[in-house]
Amino acid sequence: MKKVLGIALLVCGLLLSGCTKKETVPKYEQVKQAEDGLLKGVKVSKKVSGYSGKGYVTNFNEPQDSVTFKVKAPSEGIYTLKIRYRVSTGSGDKHTKIVLNGEPSREMILPESNEFRETTGIKIMLNKGENVIQFVSEWGYYDLDYIKVQSESSHRLDNKENKLVNPKATKETKSLMHFLTDQYGKSILSGQQDLTEVEWLNNNIGKKPAIVGFDFLDYSNSALQYERNSKQVEQAIQWDKEGGIVTFSWHWIAPKHLTNKPGKEWDTGYLTKSTTFDVQYAMTHPNSEEYKLLLNDIDTIAIQLKKLQKANIPILFRPLHEAEGGWFWWGAKGPEPAKKLYILLYDRLTNYHKINNLIWVWNSVSPEWYPGDKYVDIISYDSYPSAGDYLPVSIPYDRALSLVNNRKMVTLSENGPIPDPDLLKKYQVSWSWFLTWRGHFLKNGKLNDIDHLTKVYNSPYVITLDELPNLKSYK
């Protein structure tokens, strides 16, 4: 409880308490024209119109091309860094690497734009007095007009836009959302896939996670035909009784056309390689058998969700995960069928089955895959860097914030290595929670070594099970 005490003392700090959002002028703002910086391998140009100042900097062609600025901060603290830039249409998004006071800090994604535009900004920690900010080419081939450093405005979300997308959400679901939004930007919640892994954590670290992940894998009709018997829902109810938070994903075994051959067994029928089920055909032929089978599967999952709703358990629900990867059949035909299926799933569960205990988590930071604000409560990303890479996963974080213009929370819905809490604070990367995948991702001693796990679970920045309030009545 020590990390969540004192929140009630914050005036208008509760994101859903009815406070209204006001536009505020930053107390401190400094603009530096790119052409006035220290240039290395780049040049000033006036060829493209629309720039400010005397021109803009271009020719970021080589990996180490750079422009360096000196910025004076009135005090030590968190500031917002924005840049005005241009990327030629058709050349794709670019990245720029930011080196702050001699130390690599962040990478900023620059979506293509044929006209100069200002980014939404990232958070950086500045020292009092002079700071050196260097932009290094990285992917290159962009134009830089200016940088803008502002005193940090609140990382809170607009309470209107942060309401749950389902207006009929249960009070327990609203309560959980209140807690998540209160903690957003102040801490990160710990999470672990599979209840069976929680005891290992408790035995080896002496802590339990705040969130446990479950799966509807064996509840699909295809799995039931093979007499699979899952206890995931009962385990989720057990975890809720312990005071923990429940999240569900769904490795959805295709309802038809399973390959079921060696290496492509039926129980891997959620994989594109293990089925010939065509989601595009199903979603464009609502009278087809394929479409009706999708509805049947959704209705079957609804039975389990109603059990959880009856038990007053709110669910962080993440269906159709990793669609853009293409390795799951629901994403194999591109973004449009996947988005249509997600919207169908939302409509069927919410409006037909009257299931109101879900917080809807969409699992992509790509604009072309986004189903829309009216169907999504939280944006998520799955992170699997190499063993021992505990960096804060800043590029997908910035992409997620840009996708929703900082109107919704973003989270690490799956991870291998857990980001270092100290780096998350230092780089101002505010994931809502992490959820380490099961098996060797947790226990092989390489992806997350025992010292790192001990540090994470004992960090003041990380919330564990014993520090959760009563989430059923949290306000």
Side-chain angles (χ1 to χ4, degrees), residues 408-428:
K408 297 179 184 288
M409 288 183 289
V410 299
T411 197
L412 278 180
S413 45
E414 287 184 26
N415 60 269
I418 305 169
D420 187 321
D422 293 340
L423 295 179
L424 290 173
K425 291 178 65 178
K426 181 177 181 180
Y427 297 155
Q428 290 297 293

Side-chain angles (χ1 to χ4, degrees), residues 3-4 176 179-192 209-211 244-245 316 409 411-412 415 418 424 431-436 456-457 461-465 467-469 471:
K3 297 169 199 171
V4 296
L176 174 57
F179 174 73
L180 294 175
T181 51
D182 279 351
Q183 293 308 308
Y184 188 57
K186 304 186 188 85
S187 60
I188 187 169
L189 281 82
S190 55
Q192 177 59 51
I211 302 174
I245 300 170
L316 298 168
M409 288 183 289
T411 197
L412 278 180
N415 60 269
I418 305 169
L424 290 173
W431 299 110
S432 179
W433 70 83
F434 67 80
L435 190 89
T436 310
V456 167
Y457 272 84
Y461 189 67
V462 177
I463 294 177
T464 50
L465 177 66
E467 295 162 326
L468 289 177
L471 293 173

Side-chain angles (χ1 to χ4, degrees), residues 197 384 436-448:
E197 307 286 47
Y384 287 95
T436 310
W437 205 245
R438 60 179 176 258
H440 72 279
F441 293 100
L442 174 68
K443 298 183 288 192
N444 73 354
K446 297 178 181 179
L447 288 158
N448 290 290

Side-chain angles (χ1 to χ4, degrees), residues 42-252:
V42 293
K43 68 178 185 179
V44 178
S45 176
K46 300 181 179 180
K47 184 177 180 180
V48 178
S49 62
Y51 57 84
S52 62
K54 303 173 185 176
Y56 59 91
V57 172
T58 189
N59 275 31
F60 287 92
N61 298 333
E62 300 298 326
Q64 296 306 312
D65 290 345
S66 66
V67 57
T68 303
F69 304 89
K70 292 183 178 180
V71 174
K72 286 188 176 180
S75 60
E76 181 182 49
I78 303 301
Y79 292 79
T80 298
L81 173 65
K82 300 179 181 180
I83 69 172
R84 192 167 188 261
Y85 74 96
R86 175 184 170 275
V87 173
S88 297
T89 301
S91 63
D93 297 349
K94 306 301 180 186
H95 293 177
T96 182
K97 183 178 180 180
I98 301 171
V99 179
L100 178 59
N101 293 325
E103 182 180 354
S105 175
R106 296 283 287 275
E107 291 189 26
M108 185 182 290
I109 189 166
L110 306 177
E112 62 178 57
S113 171
N114 224 29
E115 298 180 351
F116 284 99
R117 61 181 288 191
E118 192 175 272
T119 61
T120 54
I122 62 172
K123 307 300 180 186
I124 57 173
M125 172 71 77
L126 296 182
N127 301 321
K128 182 178 180 179
E130 187 173 89
N131 294 266
V132 177
I133 305 176
Q134 183 182 43
F135 290 80
V136 182
S137 181
E138 194 67 2
W139 284 14
Y141 301 99
Y142 50 83
D143 302 327
L144 183 58
D145 186 26
Y146 63 65
I147 72 166
K148 181 185 291 183
V149 178
Q150 299 174 324
S151 53
E152 193 258 347
S153 57
S154 174
H155 198 27
R156 300 170 188 148
L157 307 174
D158 183 338
N159 74 300
K160 290 182 180 178
E161 294 173 330
N162 196 49
K163 286 183 178 178
L164 289 165
V165 292
N166 178 6
K168 297 181 180 179
T170 65
K171 65 180 182 65
E172 293 84 8
T173 308
K174 291 177 181 178
S175 179
L176 174 57
M177 193 66 170
H178 280 212
F179 174 73
L180 294 175
T181 51
D182 279 351
Q183 293 308 308
Y184 188 57
K186 304 186 188 85
S187 60
I188 187 169
L189 281 82
S190 55
Q192 177 59 51
Q193 182 68 20
D194 274 8
L195 189 60
T196 55
E197 307 286 47
V198 172
E199 199 56 38
W200 186 92
L201 275 169
N202 195 38
N203 290 337
N204 288 273
I205 309 298
K207 289 278 191 175
K208 292 184 179 182
I211 302 174
V212 171
F214 302 89
D215 199 325
F216 286 124
L217 168 67
D218 288 332
Y219 292 97
S220 301
N221 287 312
S222 291
L224 296 177
Q225 290 173 11
Y226 285 88
E227 299 183 350
R228 279 293 180 94
N229 183 24
S230 177
K231 296 296 183 183
Q232 290 282 286
V233 168
E234 288 76 12
Q235 290 180 12
I237 293 172
Q238 174 189 338
W239 179 243
D240 174 78
K241 289 179 179 177
E242 289 190 47
I245 300 170
V246 172
T247 181
F248 263 92
S249 56
W250 183 11
H251 283 83
W252 189 346

Side-chain angles (χ1 to χ4, degrees), residues 400-411:
L401 288 185
S402 178
L403 175 63
V404 295
N405 197 25
N406 202 25
R407 296 188 307 272
K408 297 179 184 288
M409 288 183 289
V410 299
T411 197

